[in-house]
């Protein structure tokens, strides 16, 4: 720490000296003609003699990330958003201004102009004939950032992580490309993008504990949304047939490698279709995305090789459980399920219903085996208060979850559009809430009223964007794909 403080003091001293020389070390526009990767692409194969006979002028700007001073000359690498290129400063070229060069540090942001040439080691380089200090860096970049044992420091100081780790920048560039493809795909399929409220008077659309805030002017509590579902369905009532929203949800739950309290979710709804249609639709969306991002349907993820070639297996939830050792009798009896789970060492918490017990058993016994893309279908009614019943087995609903690499990636169902059935399910949820279930649904009278006007038969789906990006970037913590994940408060030093 003392060494760092000393380095900062040295830089602050240089800052003062620069100001005394009449140099503004912060903030002025700079005309950039090329980016680093562009120069390498255009001239990376051009012989040095060709560059000498037909000079190429370039103007680039970026951060100094390497520096070698040889007295009357200095080599540097500057990094912009695309990559790095070498610079060569010479006193005989820059004259008196070379004195400013000696006050530059790794981390400073500069703009340079000059001609391209090749060094004796054949590296494409800019011979600098003019430069401008754009930002003086007061903190030295870490030398051993990649080997940090305190991984949380990388997440907390993401701005440094992005500077020193090109792979991190690539991950977030790929995230942007994934989201763009999804939007383009849905719009080609006739969907329109909409925005629904982030603050709800009644939280709903998912089984989750909400964040609560207070609106002073209205004098009421509001809740950050846990899902946009009920508002998107209102739009189906209003006459839209294909809508989607790609935005943030908030759930007041634990933080882990798979959970962040603020996360990105895609939800889309389509009239006159059911969950069988959505399974086919999801295969088309994912395979198109894989081809766009990776150029193949077979990708690595950790120790696994994932094959997205359709069709993907479709297996009912109960069948998946019996395949993985859960006795058939456990599936229909609460007491048997509870006793069997305890005997197996499964923590079922305070699950008060058979459906929730089975859900906990499923997570423990089945999910770890769902590596390849797999649709698990037909869930218990009590786990899905917004889904339509199966006609032949009304205790189940027309729902699927898509699992990949032992994680739930998507959740979808044929939507319940019977207002009387929906009211009864909400009432049962209210009873559960009164018994202490903080994640149970609230009664939403306005949503019931909307259904009473008539919502067409429809299917809807939610896809966790962060988990999807994890898969497609071979990332194993959700914090690796969220620019600024939620963290514990930073400890303040005296």
């Amino acid at each position: 720490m003392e060494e760092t403080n000393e380095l900062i003091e040295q830089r602050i001293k240089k800052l003062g000296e620069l100001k005394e020389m009449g140099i503004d070390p912060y903030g002025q526009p700079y005309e950039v003609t090329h980016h680093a990767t562009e120069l390498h692409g255009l001239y990376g194969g051009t012989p040095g003699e060709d560059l000498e006979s037909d000079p190429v002028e370039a103007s680039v700007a970026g951060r100094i990330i390497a520096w070698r001073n040889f007295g009357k000359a200095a080599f540097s690498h500057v990094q912009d958003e695309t990559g790095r290129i070498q610079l060569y400063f010479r006193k005989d070229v820059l004259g008196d201004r070379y004195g400013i060069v000696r006050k530059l540090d790794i981390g400073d942001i500069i703009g340079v102009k000059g001609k391209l040439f090749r060094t004796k080691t054949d590296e494409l380089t800019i011979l600098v004939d003019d430069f401008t200090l754009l930002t003086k860096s007061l903190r030295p970049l870490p030398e051993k950032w990649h080997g940090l044992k305190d991984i949380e420091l990388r997440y907390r100081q993401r701005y440094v992580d992005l500077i020193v780790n090109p792979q991190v920048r690539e991950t977030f560039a790929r995230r942007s490309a994934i989201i763009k493809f999804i939007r383009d795909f849905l719009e080609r399929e006739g969907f329109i993008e909409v925005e629904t409220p982030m603050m709800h008077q009644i939280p709903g659309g998912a089984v989750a504990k909400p964040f609560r805030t207070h609106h002073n002017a209205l004098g009421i509590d509001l809740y950050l949304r846990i899902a946009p579902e009920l508002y998107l369905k209102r739009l189906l009532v209003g006459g839209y047939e294909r809508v989607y929203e790609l935005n943030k949800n908030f759930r007041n739950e634990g933080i882990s490698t798979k959970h962040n309290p603020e996360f990105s979710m895609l939800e889309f709804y389509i009239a006159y279709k059911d969950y069988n249609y959505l399974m086919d639709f999801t295969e088309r969306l994912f395979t198109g995305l894989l081809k766009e991002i990776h150029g193949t349907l077979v990708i690595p993820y950790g120790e696994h090789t994932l094959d997205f070639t359709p069709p993907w297996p479709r297996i009912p939830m109960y069948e998946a459980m019996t395949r993985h050792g859960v006795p058939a009798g456990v599936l229909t009896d609460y007491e048997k399920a509870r006793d069997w789970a305890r005997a197996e060492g499964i923590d079922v918490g305070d699950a008060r219903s058979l459906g929730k017990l089975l859900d906990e058993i499923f997570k423990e016994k089945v999910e770890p085996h769902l590596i390849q893309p797999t649709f698990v279908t037909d869930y218990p009614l009590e786990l899905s208060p917004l889904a339509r019943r199966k006609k032949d087995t009304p205790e189940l609903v027309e729902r699927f979850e898509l699992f990949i690499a032992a994680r739930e990636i998507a959740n979808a169902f044929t939507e319940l559009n019977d207002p009387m059935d929906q009211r009864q399910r909400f009432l049962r949820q209210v009873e559960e809430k009164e018994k202490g279930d903080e994640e149970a649904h609230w009664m939403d009278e306005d949503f019931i009223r909307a259904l009473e006007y008539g919502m067409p038969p429809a299917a809807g789906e939610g896809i966790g964007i962060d988990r999807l990006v994890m898969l497609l970037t071979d990332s194993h913590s959700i914090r690796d794909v969220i620019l600024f994940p939620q963290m514990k408060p930073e400890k303040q030093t005296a």
Side-chain angles (χ1 to χ4, degrees), residues 302-332:
E303 62 184 10
H304 303 292
T305 298
L306 303 178
D307 188 349
F308 287 81
T309 305
W312 304 340
R314 304 179 182 188
I315 178 171
M317 178 184 179
Y318 287 179
E319 181 180 336
M321 295 177 75
T322 56
R323 283 190 188 183
H324 291 282
V326 181
V330 166
L331 304 177
T332 56

Side-chain angles (χ1 to χ4, degrees), residues 372-412:
Q372 300 302 325
T374 303
F375 294 112
V376 176
T377 67
D378 305 341
Y379 281 71
L381 173 67
E382 60 197 86
L383 293 179
S384 314
L386 299 167
R388 190 174 73 185
R389 299 172 188 263
K390 290 178 65 68
K391 289 183 178 179
D392 54 345
T393 49
E395 70 276 10
L396 303 178
V397 295
E398 295 185 355
R399 172 186 174 186
F400 73 78
E401 288 186 312
L402 171 62
F403 289 89
I404 308 172
R407 292 192 181 104
E408 176 206 339
I409 303 298
N411 180 29

Side-chain angles (χ1 to χ4, degrees), residues 364-463:
E364 185 75 19
K365 292 295 185 180
V366 182
E367 281 189 22
H369 302 285
L370 301 177
I371 305 301
Q372 300 302 325
T374 303
F375 294 112
V376 176
T377 67
D378 305 341
Y379 281 71
L381 173 67
E382 60 197 86
L383 293 179
S384 314
L386 299 167
R388 190 174 73 185
R389 299 172 188 263
K390 290 178 65 68
K391 289 183 178 179
D392 54 345
T393 49
E395 70 276 10
L396 303 178
V397 295
E398 295 185 355
R399 172 186 174 186
F400 73 78
E401 288 186 312
L402 171 62
F403 289 89
I404 308 172
R407 292 192 181 104
E408 176 206 339
I409 303 298
N411 180 29
F413 36 83
T414 308
E415 303 298 335
L416 175 62
N417 63 341
D418 178 343
M420 299 178 72
D421 189 356
Q422 186 65 81
R423 177 180 291 280
Q424 292 304 312
R425 296 201 207 177
F426 275 165
L427 288 173
R428 284 194 291 272
Q429 289 287 303
V430 169
E431 291 177 3
E432 292 300 315
K433 184 173 290 293
E434 291 173 348
K435 293 177 182 177
D437 186 349
E438 295 180 319
E439 296 184 344
H441 266 273
W442 296 38
M443 171 61 74
D444 190 334
E445 290 287 357
D446 180 70
F447 179 66
I448 299 295
R449 178 168 56 196
L451 292 183
E452 289 172 347
Y453 277 98
M455 186 181 86
E461 181 168 348
I463 297 175

Side-chain angles (χ1 to χ4, degrees), residues 154-185:
R154 287 185 49 219
Y155 302 138
R156 195 181 299 281
Q157 297 182 21
R158 181 69 84 188
Y159 39 87
V160 180
D161 201 23
L162 292 167
I163 293 171
V164 302
N165 191 346
Q167 181 57 42
V168 172
R169 293 198 305 278
E170 174 59 29
T171 293
F172 288 102
R174 183 160 290 184
R175 178 187 175 108
S176 179
I178 290 168
I179 291 173
K180 181 180 185 302
F181 177 88
I182 290 172
R183 282 194 163 104
D184 291 345
F185 179 90

Side-chain angles (χ1 to χ4, degrees), residues 6-23:
E6 183 179 341
L7 292 173
I8 292 174
E9 289 175 3
Q10 292 174 3
R11 292 185 178 216
I12 291 174
K13 181 181 178 182
K14 289 182 180 179
L15 177 69
E17 293 170 349
L18 288 165
K19 289 181 177 179
E20 289 177 2
M21 297 168 67
I23 296 172

